[in-house]
Amino acid sequence: QGTRDHPPAQAALRDRLLAAVVACFKRHGAAAIDTPVLELRETLTGKYGEEAKLIYELQDQGGELLALRYDLTVPFARYLAMNKITNMKRYHVAKVYRRDNPATTRGRYREFYQCDFDIAGQFDPMIPDAECLKIVHEILSDLQLGDFLIKVNDRRVLNGVFAVCGIPESKFITTCSTVDKLDKMPWEDVKNEMVGEKGLSPEAADHIGEYVQLHGGLDLIERLLQDPKLSQNKLAKEGLGDMKLLFEYLTLFGITGKISFDLSLARGLDYYTGVIFEAVLLQQEDNHVEESVSVGSVAGGGRYDGLVGMFDPKGRKVPCVGVSIGIERIFSILEQRVKVSGEKLRTTETQVLVATPQKHLLAARLKLISELWDAGIKAEMFYKKDPKLLKQLQYCEDMGIPLAAIVGEQELTDGVVKLRDVTTRQEVRMSFLHQISNVLPKI
Amino acid sequence: QGTRDHPPAQAALRDRLLAAVVACFKRHGAAAIDTPVLELRETLTGKYGEEAKLIYELQDQGGELLALRYDLTVPFARYLAMNKITNMKRYHVAKVYRRDNPATTRGRYREFYQCDFDIAGQFDPMIPDAECLKIVHEILSDLQLGDFLIKVNDRRVLNGVFAVCGIPESKFITTCSTVDKLDKMPWEDVKNEMVGEKGLSPEAADHIGEYVQLHGGLDLIERLLQDPKLSQNKLAKEGLGDMKLLFEYLTLFGITGKISFDLSLARGLDYYTGVIFEAVLLQQEDNHVEESVSVGSVAGGGRYDGLVGMFDPKGRKVPCVGVSIGIERIFSILEQRVKVSGEKLRTTETQVLVATPQKHLLAARLKLISELWDAGIKAEMFYKKDPKLLKQLQYCEDMGIPLAAIVGEQELTDGVVKLRDVTTRQEVRMSFLHQISNVLPKI
């Protein structure tokens, strides 16, 4: 339940998708690392807040207590701390595991791929952060998923807003998770949750509402920097200053057209400390209305400067910022699109089918195909001694194999092979077999 | 314990290795499938004989009882049966899990990659089997691992030998596993185990010994087909007949030079029913003496015609033959070789470092690198506002980045970029930035 086999058509589509993502990560100079699927249970403990109950644990069969990794970020932080690495740009494409209810949301499974790119190290502010956003922009553009929007916010701005609205620090995280629902429900419902469940005063909630419903670009940042209350808050001022810098860099990258500074963006995970972001696809029919319910976010990430320190005995921090591409959702969308278009995806890359039109020519096929393989050509043949030519050609059409290399008795005598274009049915004779045609046994 | 992180240098080597193996599988027209790491416990039960104790089981946290996959063959058989597929050529490259003692053998881990290629379907005898051997030959040749030998045998021949030596059928499997040790210990020790532990008579053991110490080619097959006892045994005769056919096909593939019909090859797993094979590397120093203790087999496989039927409610069989490449051992060998040679493997593919020689040129770097990324060029830059040129060039040398694209104040004024070959230190000026040089902010 919640895991699945990937038959060839899916596996081929997925491979193409992953290849595009990895190509982008490599284009940005990232190195690959791999970490085990099994982590010590204690490594994962206390990193995911409420979501911890979704961690798969292994049976105690003697030895260490183990669990399946829940994401790739915590193992990366553990890896950096364990190896005392303070500077690294890495990508990691691998499966993670969650004991989630797989039926509730589309494209959500218990075993799924994550594609992560992270930059660890102490650098000048917002340069690596801007690169992460550039990567999201490149990948979503490359994959031609349609129009998209990358929402950006900063945890410090959000916390500053809560502070100036009179929320005690102890309620920041829980208020944050309520704010995060603004993309799924109207402000009135969010406010009710704040007041009813989270115990904020209606005035404080309204005050928060004035801020978190704002979104815009550099102009909004400038305005908030002048805001009489926010500008007095140290955290908010820092966050807004960095946000301004970020937008300057994004302007140089030429991608601000698809970026929105959105104060309602909060992101669920506890470990974010600065910039946070999330990309959503926009519904094409309804003219730029977000399709957040049916598709949800297709990429997200942010800055987590405290996580590595949690694994270091001396608590030494390594600042990190990273992005995770929601490959499973993107895959669902592309799969759906292929289904609708009726397009038939090839599951193999075979270039030539080696075929024979008469009986007793297996030896010729074996000899020819072996030469093709040795020359690096992707070739197949039927595993039958005497297959019918029609069936062999039909197979080419079914599988999208563009060429058939046909060796019949006449070709064998002439020392040639007939190369047939499966679509146009044009044939050319090529000398190929003249050294071997005389020495072949009849089998 | 027994799992490990793969830092960039290892991950890069592994990626290259896996790419070569996958390229061969695709060349032979295989489609990729993927199955979950988690399987139902009952799927794995009763498939691995004594090795079953090495299966990792997940804790019962409610829901199905799960285990981590132990190999890729049983999930493949389960996949075929579940989807009622009777005909398929697939490859699968993925990690498997075994609660083995990781310290005992070199290159043996609890989490490791398997690279499997299998052909399922009812075909004319030995054509797919021959292709599996061709694949082993291609991969080991491609990877330039040095001289190798592929040992081939057939379970039916082995069982026939046991039968004519008077061994009761109930002792076939246990005798088989003793014979399998002939590559690690001398005949006398194998005989002692047969007599002492397995309870065979010394005469029967000696009789078996006469057969299983034989190895050769087509000549040996012909001789055994004339053997007065073996030729009377139905199983042995069938096996030898197919072995002869196999060698005919391998001759057409031109690879018999590295194939040995070896009656001592038995292979551990229960599920093989026909041809079995195993590839070993030969030690170069000692003139073709097998290095089986330190390296062991680097590929193996065989025919398993009964496994799919175990998953079908009606027991419908799908004949299968497959090969598994021992990628971890090959990886250890290549890693060792890289270490000895002192060769430095690149961990990234970065082509250009975008560098600046003076201060306040971050905007120029951001603009230029963004153009390079958009053009598909693999480029990096320092995440500092004002890095020193020397440090930037030093980084190129350390990381093996071949080119530096340098933008200084002069270049900016002239609307060019200086492209520097890091090794030869030659520089050329190229116009690149002339549209943007006048509009860049100083940051």
Side-chain angles (χ1 to χ4, degrees):
Chain A
Q1 281 296 324
T3 65
R4 62 203 151 147
D5 295 319
H6 293 293
Q10 279 188 18
L13 182 60
R14 181 172 302 263
D15 279 355
R16 251 174 274 180
L17 195 53
L18 292 177
V21 172
V22 167
C24 177
F25 292 165
K26 284 187 176 174
R27 193 158 64 232
H28 286 260
I33 71 162
D34 193 16
T35 64
V37 166
L38 304 171
E39 290 279 351
L40 292 176
R41 275 190 211 171
E42 62 188 59
T43 299
L44 308 189
T45 307
K47 308 301 183 306
Y48 301 106
E50 279 181 22
E51 295 182 20
K53 63 177 185 296
L54 303 182
I55 296 172
Y56 271 110
E57 298 183 349
L58 264 76
Q59 200 165 35
D60 186 356
Q61 296 170 288
E64 306 94 337
L65 292 179
L66 300 172
L68 300 187
R69 65 180 163 213
Y70 185 84
D71 67 5
L72 302 176
T73 311
V74 167
F76 176 54
R78 194 258 315 142
Y79 173 83
L80 292 176
M82 237 172 89
N83 298 285
K84 296 193 171 46
I85 295 167
T86 55
N87 187 333
M88 178 174 219
K89 179 154 59 173
R90 83 91 177 76
Y91 74 89
H92 194 180
V93 172
K95 286 175 178 175
V96 302
Y97 298 86
R98 298 185 185 180
R99 294 181 57 251
D100 217 337
N101 196 339
T104 46
T105 323
R106 267 180 49 197
R108 246 199 152 133
Y109 290 89
R110 290 182 170 177
E111 172 182 66
F112 58 95
Y113 272 104
Q114 282 203 335
C115 301
D116 282 21
F117 171 99
D118 292 80
I119 301 169
Q122 185 70 57
F123 302 115
D124 281 326
M126 308 318 279
I127 309 180
D129 311 60
E131 181 166 2
C132 287
L133 291 169
K134 177 79 170 83
I135 283 176
V136 174
H137 193 279
E138 281 179 31
I139 289 175
L140 296 183
S141 306
D142 284 355
L143 294 177
Q144 300 180 291
L145 294 168
D147 206 7
F148 60 89
L149 184 72
I150 309 174
K151 301 178 188 177
V152 183
N153 197 2
D154 192 298
R155 272 284 168 92
R156 291 166 298 174
V157 176
L158 217 45
N159 287 341
V161 165
F162 297 152
V164 305
C165 295
I167 310 300
E169 218 179 307
S170 60
K171 285 195 177 169
F172 279 10
I173 287 181
T174 183
T175 310
C176 216
S177 70
T178 304
V179 168
D180 202 36
K181 296 178 183 166
L182 253 182
D183 63 342
K184 296 195 185 73
M185 51 199 220
W187 165 246
E188 277 312 311
D189 295 348
V190 171
K191 182 185 165 182
N192 287 342
E193 185 175 312
M194 283 184 179
V195 178
E197 289 177 37
K198 306 295 170 82
L200 307 196
S201 72
E203 296 73 29
D206 279 333
H207 201 170
I208 292 176
E210 284 166 29
Y211 285 109
V212 298
Q213 291 181 82
L214 298 171
H215 51 90
L218 205 45
D219 52 327
L220 175 61
I221 299 169
E222 298 282 12
R223 218 173 73 212
L224 291 176
L225 274 168
Q226 306 302 323
D227 182 282
K229 283 179 194 154
L230 267 191
S231 60
Q232 299 307 309
N233 180 281
K234 192 172 166 288
L235 268 181
K237 219 175 143 190
E238 256 181 53
L240 287 166
D242 276 352
M243 206 44 68
K244 190 178 165 191
L245 203 53
L246 178 68
F247 268 77
E248 273 177 47
Y249 298 162
L250 298 179
T251 305
L252 288 162
F253 286 160
I255 61 173
T256 44
K258 300 215 180 284
I259 311 261
S260 165
F261 173 42
D262 187 325
L263 277 92
S264 73
L265 179 71
R267 306 260 317 147
L269 288 167
D270 289 5
Y271 54 61
Y272 290 119
T273 54
V275 171
I276 45 178
F277 53 88
E278 200 167 291
V280 292
L281 296 188
L282 302 176
Q283 227 163 6
Q284 323 237 214
E285 306 95 309
D286 296 352
N287 248 336
H288 290 222
V289 175
E290 290 164 28
E291 198 194 82
S292 29
V293 179
S294 60
V295 180
S297 77
V298 289
R303 177 161 284 284
Y304 50 101
D305 288 348
L307 192 59
V308 177
M310 292 172 76
F311 293 105
D312 187 279
K314 292 182 183 160
R316 274 168 299 213
K317 287 188 180 182
V318 178
C320 292
V321 63
V323 50
S324 189
I325 306 297
I327 206 71
E328 299 291 348
R329 287 188 175 172
I330 296 174
F331 174 72
S332 302
I333 295 163
L334 291 181
E335 201 188 13
Q336 192 57 36
R337 197 177 291 176
V338 169
K339 213 174 272 176
V340 168
S341 76
E343 188 192 345
K344 215 177 145 189
L345 285 182
R346 288 197 64 185
T347 57
T348 66
E349 298 176 9
T350 308
Q351 300 163 305
V352 190
L353 183 79
V354 174
T356 39
Q358 295 103 11
K359 289 191 175 185
H360 306 298
L361 289 166
L362 175 60
R365 271 191 291 146
L366 289 171
K367 187 78 191 171
L368 176 56
I369 201 167
S370 143
E371 290 191 0
L372 293 174
W373 286 331
D374 292 344
I377 293 166
K378 294 167 191 152
E380 278 184 78
M381 58 173 262
F382 275 33
Y383 298 124
K384 276 174 169 275
K385 292 182 78 163
D386 301 312
K388 295 213 163 59
L389 184 60
L390 212 65
K391 282 206 171 176
Q392 296 172 81
L393 295 176
Q394 187 57 48
Y395 178 78
C396 289
E397 289 191 14
D398 292 346
M399 299 295 290
I401 300 173
L403 294 170
I406 303 169
V407 204
E409 276 160 14
Q410 188 59 49
E411 285 77 25
L412 217 51
T413 308
D414 300 349
V416 299
V417 56
K418 210 158 63 183
L419 211 60
R420 179 188 172 107
D421 183 310
V422 174
T423 315
T424 66
R425 301 185 182 186
Q426 280 191 316
E427 294 182 341
V428 285
R429 285 158 64 93
M430 297 178 62
S431 75
F432 208 122
L433 286 171
H434 68 278
Q435 310 105 312
I436 56 156
S437 55
N438 299 321
V439 295
L440 287 175
K442 281 225 169 190
I443 49 177
Chain B
Q1 282 293 325
T3 67
R4 62 204 151 142
D5 295 320
H6 292 293
Q10 278 187 17
L13 182 59
R14 181 172 303 264
D15 280 354
R16 251 173 275 180
L17 195 53
L18 292 177
V21 172
V22 167
C24 177
F25 292 165
K26 285 186 176 172
R27 195 158 62 233
H28 286 260
I33 71 162
D34 193 15
T35 64
V37 167
L38 305 171
E39 289 280 351
L40 293 176
R41 275 190 213 170
E42 61 190 58
T43 299
L44 308 189
T45 308
K47 308 301 182 305
Y48 300 108
E50 280 183 19
E51 294 182 20
K53 62 179 187 294
L54 302 181
I55 296 172
Y56 270 109
E57 298 183 348
L58 265 77
Q59 200 162 35
D60 185 358
Q61 296 171 288
E64 305 94 337
L65 293 180
L66 300 171
L68 300 186
R69 65 179 163 215
Y70 184 83
D71 67 5
L72 301 176
T73 310
V74 167
F76 176 54
R78 195 258 313 142
Y79 173 81
L80 292 177
M82 237 172 90
N83 297 286
K84 297 194 171 42
I85 295 166
T86 55
N87 186 332
M88 177 175 219
K89 180 153 61 172
R90 83 91 177 77
Y91 73 90
H92 194 181
V93 172
K95 286 177 179 174
V96 301
Y97 298 86
R98 299 184 184 180
R99 295 181 57 252
D100 217 337
N101 195 337
T104 46
T105 321
R106 268 181 48 200
R108 245 195 151 139
Y109 290 89
R110 288 182 172 178
E111 173 182 64
F112 58 94
Y113 271 104
Q114 281 202 335
C115 302
D116 283 19
F117 172 99
D118 293 79
I119 301 169
Q122 184 69 56
F123 302 115
D124 280 325
M126 308 318 278
I127 309 180
D129 311 62
E131 181 166 2
C132 287
L133 292 169
K134 177 78 171 84
I135 283 177
V136 174
H137 193 278
E138 281 178 32
I139 290 175
L140 296 183
S141 305
D142 283 355
L143 294 176
Q144 299 181 293
L145 294 168
D147 206 6
F148 61 87
L149 185 71
I150 309 174
K151 301 177 188 176
V152 184
N153 198 1
D154 192 297
R155 274 282 169 91
R156 291 165 297 174
V157 175
L158 218 43
N159 287 340
V161 165
F162 297 154
V164 304
C165 295
I167 311 301
E169 217 180 308
S170 60
K171 285 193 177 170
F172 279 10
I173 288 181
T174 182
T175 310
C176 214
S177 71
T178 305
V179 167
D180 203 36
K181 296 178 183 167
L182 254 182
D183 63 342
K184 294 195 185 71
M185 53 199 219
W187 164 246
E188 276 312 311
D189 296 349
V190 170
K191 181 186 165 183
N192 286 342
E193 187 176 310
M194 283 183 179
V195 178
E197 288 177 37
K198 306 294 168 84
L200 307 197
S201 72
E203 296 72 30
D206 278 334
H207 201 170
I208 293 175
E210 283 165 31
Y211 285 110
V212 297
Q213 291 181 82
L214 298 171
H215 50 90
L218 205 45
D219 51 329
L220 176 59
I221 298 169
E222 299 282 11
R223 219 173 74 215
L224 291 176
L225 274 169
Q226 306 303 324
D227 182 281
K229 282 179 196 154
L230 269 190
S231 59
Q232 299 306 311
N233 181 281
K234 190 172 168 287
L235 270 181
K237 221 176 140 188
E238 255 181 55
L240 287 167
D242 276 352
M243 206 43 67
K244 191 178 163 190
L245 204 53
L246 178 69
F247 268 78
E248 274 178 45
Y249 297 162
L250 299 179
T251 305
L252 288 162
F253 286 161
I255 61 172
T256 44
K258 299 214 182 286
I259 311 261
S260 166
F261 173 42
D262 187 325
L263 278 92
S264 74
L265 179 71
R267 307 260 317 150
L269 288 168
D270 289 6
Y271 54 61
Y272 290 119
T273 54
V275 169
I276 46 177
F277 54 87
E278 199 167 293
V280 293
L281 297 187
L282 301 175
Q283 225 162 11
Q284 325 239 207
E285 306 96 308
D286 296 352
N287 246 336
H288 290 223
V289 175
E290 291 163 27
E291 201 195 76
S292 30
V293 179
S294 58
V295 180
S297 77
V298 289
R303 178 162 283 284
Y304 50 102
D305 288 348
L307 193 58
V308 177
M310 292 173 74
F311 293 105
D312 187 280
K314 293 186 183 159
R316 275 168 298 215
K317 287 187 176 181
V318 177
C320 293
V321 62
V323 50
S324 188
I325 306 296
I327 207 72
E328 299 291 346
R329 287 186 175 171
I330 295 174
F331 174 72
S332 303
I333 295 163
L334 291 180
E335 201 188 16
Q336 192 58 35
R337 198 178 287 175
V338 168
K339 212 174 269 174
V340 168
S341 76
E343 188 194 344
K344 217 177 145 190
L345 285 182
R346 289 197 64 185
T347 58
T348 66
E349 299 177 8
T350 308
Q351 299 164 306
V352 191
L353 183 80
V354 174
T356 38
Q358 295 105 12
K359 289 189 174 185
H360 307 298
L361 290 166
L362 175 59
R365 271 190 291 144
L366 288 171
K367 188 79 190 167
L368 176 56
I369 200 166
S370 141
E371 292 193 359
L372 293 174
W373 286 330
D374 292 343
I377 292 166
K378 294 167 191 153
E380 279 184 79
M381 58 173 264
F382 275 34
Y383 298 123
K384 276 174 168 277
K385 292 183 77 161
D386 301 312
K388 295 213 163 61
L389 184 60
L390 213 63
K391 282 206 172 176
Q392 295 172 82
L393 295 176
Q394 186 58 48
Y395 178 78
C396 289
E397 291 192 12
D398 292 346
M399 299 296 289
I401 299 172
L403 294 169
I406 304 169
V407 203
E409 278 159 13
Q410 188 58 51
E411 286 77 25
L412 218 50
T413 310
D414 300 349
V416 298
V417 57
K418 210 159 63 183
L419 209 60
R420 180 187 171 108
D421 183 310
V422 174
T423 315
T424 67
R425 301 184 182 186
Q426 280 190 318
E427 295 181 342
V428 285
R429 284 158 64 94
M430 298 177 63
S431 75
F432 208 122
L433 286 171
H434 69 277
Q435 310 104 311
I436 58 157
S437 56
N438 300 321
V439 296
L440 286 174
K442 282 224 167 190
I443 48 176

